[in-house]
Amino acid sequence: SEKLDAYLNARQATPLGFSPKGQLLISTRFGDVDQLHLVERPGGERRQLTFQREPITQGAFSPDPGRSAYVYLKDVGGNENAQLYYQHLGEPLPKLLSDGKSLNGGPVWSNAGREVAFFSTARDGVSYDIDVVEPEAGSLPRLAVTGGDGAIWYPLDWSPDDRKLLVLKYLSISEAYLYVVDLYSGQKREVDPTPAKVGIVGARFSRDGQGVYLISNRDGEFAQLRYANLFTAEKTVISGAISWDIEELAISRDGHYLAYVSNEGGVDKLTLLDLRAHQDLIPPRLAAAGIIDSLSFDAEGNRLAFGFAAANRPRDAYVLDIASNHLEAWTHSEAGAVDTAKLVTPRLTHFPTFDRVDGRQREIPLYTYEPTTPGPHPVLIALHGGPESQFRPGFDPWLQFVVNELGFAVVAPNVRGSSGYGKSYLALDNGKLREDAVKDIGALLVWLRLQSAYDAKHVVVSGASYG
């Protein structure tokens, strides 16, 4: 148990965006749970801002340079009914902005930094609406978008003049609708409509207000970065050369740069576009293959922050200086009382399953972690949740403990129905096909018996939720 504690005491850092003064807001843990901290420079002291019993993992500074204030979300006891709070830097107590009992989330500041849009179930306790609140005014949130149709409505972005909201109506990973809502007239207009069901991951206004950058799997197997003009028929696929899902995007406030992340077989790649020069920029290579998330530009558009984690390193906050193309870690998270040289990097392989595609046996992606000691090793099969999710080689101290201290090999399959491999693969376990995903595990057991490195008589199967 002491060895396990050493692994599980690892901490990570997630960047949440810049303050107007160029400080980086992060979420990390120094006590029992994650709290908000402020970092002034690369490797600088992590100054703690919140001191709650509950974890604080989401927050954002107001873009107004005269405020030095931020919002964050906090629930009670993991009940998921997160409340929205507002606090000035240096003040001891926050101000509650939501009703104290409903479910709230997804706060997005207006460009002027005076109002916050967020989703809420406050109206009837069930429907996901979008509310707007002005924290300094002392007034109650006002209803901007009425839900009530069984969908989840998310605010994504404000138009440059703060008169409109870009909102997502989310029904499933395969069905979502994007709208521009006029906050003054209430008029709602769909962006890039199509008769077919499409999945939409995210979207942002172009900084001239003329169009929208969105991530959608319209017209293809994968979610692509697209541009749709709101006033003409112009539509452009920006990431068409990438045959993988685009996961996330960010655009600088001056409209100069756009960054996006592609998930390529479970490993992420960062792409940076100079929208004025119409060219791709090549950011420095990261030290390992891993997962990139939480993209945000600073107020001037000179720096890009993001989180990065790999199997052998905890998530840290990194900042890319665009002019110099220099990448630097702003946090250095500790992997616990563990020799990091022992941490294992998984290998991506594939195993054949029971059916065929295009005349050949279908192959299932599989990440394998193997001990350095001689085999054959007992096996832990780790099944991801979802089902519309994907096992990815991020930092997982529990799996590292199982490999290094218990001597197990860990195999993590992305069975049919997993995301990340296209719409067709995602749909292979729908409805009555759900049992085929179980058959994939049967095929994995057969494959394990054929591998000399594994002891196929000693196999543990584990998973959370769908897994």
Side-chain angles (χ1 to χ4, degrees):
S1 63
E2 288 183 1
K3 286 184 177 180
L4 177 57
D5 283 344
Y7 284 84
L8 298 186
N9 274 322
R11 61 170 155 244
Q12 306 193 66
T14 302
L16 302 177
F18 289 96
S19 76
K21 295 181 180 179
Q23 306 145 312
L24 191 60
L25 182 67
I26 66 166
S27 174
T28 192
R29 178 184 61 81
F30 274 85
D32 292 329
V33 295
D34 286 3
Q35 297 293 322
L36 298 184
H37 295 73
L38 206 57
V39 182
E40 304 271 353
R41 61 186 180 280
E45 175 188 0
R46 287 168 272 191
R47 173 188 167 194
Q48 192 164 338
L49 302 183
T50 57
F51 298 83
Q52 306 286 343
R53 290 191 177 188
E54 308 295 340
I56 311 296
T57 59
Q58 296 183 60
F61 264 92
S62 166
D64 183 353
R67 284 200 178 180
S68 292
Y70 53 93
V71 293
Y72 64 87
L73 294 167
K74 180 181 75 71
D75 70 2
V76 176
N79 66 3
E80 298 188 0
N81 286 337
Q83 303 304 314
L84 185 63
Y85 294 85
Y86 176 70
Q87 190 163 358
H88 283 272
L89 202 60
E91 290 189 355
L93 296 175
K95 174 183 177 182
L96 178 64
L97 298 179
S98 49
D99 67 353
K101 56 185 179 181
S102 59
L103 188 154
N104 306 273
V108 182
W109 280 103
S110 64
N111 293 285
R114 290 192 291 269
E115 294 180 301
V116 181
F118 62 101
F119 71 78
S120 178
T121 61
R123 179 171 57 87
D124 60 9
V126 178
S127 304
Y128 283 76
D129 303 324
I130 295 178
D131 289 351
V132 174
V133 65
E134 190 173 348
E136 294 286 351
S139 55
L140 294 173
R142 70 180 189 274
L143 186 65
V145 177
T146 303
D149 51 6
I152 301 176
W153 290 80
Y154 293 100
L156 299 180
D157 198 14
W158 293 72
S159 62
D161 61 5
D162 285 340
R163 295 181 61 88
K164 300 180 180 68
L165 271 181
L166 188 61
V167 302
L168 182 68
K169 177 184 176 181
Y170 181 88
L171 291 167
S172 73
I173 193 171
S174 302
E175 184 179 2
Y177 303 89
L178 188 64
Y179 297 93
V180 173
V181 177
D182 190 303
L183 293 173
Y184 293 87
S185 68
Q187 182 183 4
K188 189 165 55 183
R189 173 184 172 192
E190 188 174 358
V191 178
D192 201 19
T194 173
K197 293 180 181 179
V198 299
I200 299 174
V201 178
R204 296 290 184 272
F205 278 108
S206 62
R207 300 320 297 169
D208 59 6
Q210 297 295 304
V212 168
Y213 294 96
L214 68 153
I215 301 171
S216 164
N217 62 8
R218 174 176 177 162
D219 303 329
E221 278 288 314
F222 296 96
Q224 297 177 317
L225 178 62
R226 307 166 62 91
Y227 172 81
N229 191 292
L230 296 173
F231 302 99
T232 70
E234 179 191 356
K235 295 175 185 176
T236 306
V237 177
I238 297 171
S239 64
I242 301 175
S243 296
W244 296 100
D245 282 338
I246 307 304
E247 293 182 319
E248 188 177 346
L249 80 154
I251 187 168
S252 61
R253 291 192 69 183
D254 61 1
H256 192 167
Y257 300 107
L258 185 149
Y260 65 92
V261 175
S262 51
N263 172 359
E264 305 190 359
V267 173
D268 280 335
K269 178 184 176 183
L270 174 66
T271 299
L272 185 63
L273 302 179
D274 185 328
L275 295 176
R276 293 177 184 171
H278 303 286
Q279 66 179 14
D280 289 5
L281 305 178
I282 302 175
R285 287 178 59 90
L286 291 159
I291 297 173
I292 299 169
D293 56 19
S294 307
L295 303 180
S296 62
F297 286 93
D298 66 3
E300 291 76 25
N302 297 327
R303 297 178 297 175
L304 173 69
F306 59 88
F308 170 71
N312 60 352
R313 60 186 67 210
R315 181 193 292 107
D316 271 311
Y318 287 76
V319 174
L320 172 65
D321 183 283
I322 299 174
S324 63
N325 202 33
H326 178 65
L327 182 64
E328 199 162 7
W330 275 48
T331 61
H332 299 280
S333 295
E334 300 81 359
V338 175
D339 179 4
T340 55
K342 294 171 60 176
L343 300 181
V344 177
T345 300
R347 176 174 58 93
L348 176 61
T349 185
H350 295 77
F351 67 91
T353 190
F354 66 92
D355 60 344
R356 303 176 73 84
V357 58
D358 296 332
R360 293 180 294 180
Q361 210 156 8
R362 187 187 304 277
E363 300 259 313
I364 302 295
L366 179 74
Y367 277 98
T368 64
Y369 297 71
E370 297 183 12
T372 56
T373 54
H377 305 289
V379 178
L380 170 66
I381 299 177
L383 303 179
H384 67 70
E388 295 150 338
S389 184
Q390 179 186 22
F391 180 88
R392 307 187 62 193
F395 183 69
D396 191 325
W398 160 247
L399 293 186
Q400 295 289 345
F401 169 79
V402 169
V403 175
N404 287 313
E405 307 301 336
L406 301 186
F408 276 71
V410 175
V411 297
N414 280 315
V415 296
R416 68 189 64 212
S418 300
S419 59
Y421 305 97
K423 286 191 292 191
S424 299
Y425 194 81
L426 188 73
L428 285 177
D429 73 337
N430 286 350
K432 294 182 178 180
L433 299 177
R434 185 58 53 93
E435 231 174 79
D436 287 351
V438 182
K439 292 179 183 178
D440 287 340
I441 304 303
L444 174 58
L445 291 169
V446 172
W447 181 82
L448 287 172
R449 286 202 295 270
L450 302 176
Q451 312 302 313
S452 60
Y454 305 131
D455 178 2
K457 293 183 179 179
H458 296 90
V459 178
V460 179
V461 185
S462 74
S465 187
Y466 173 72

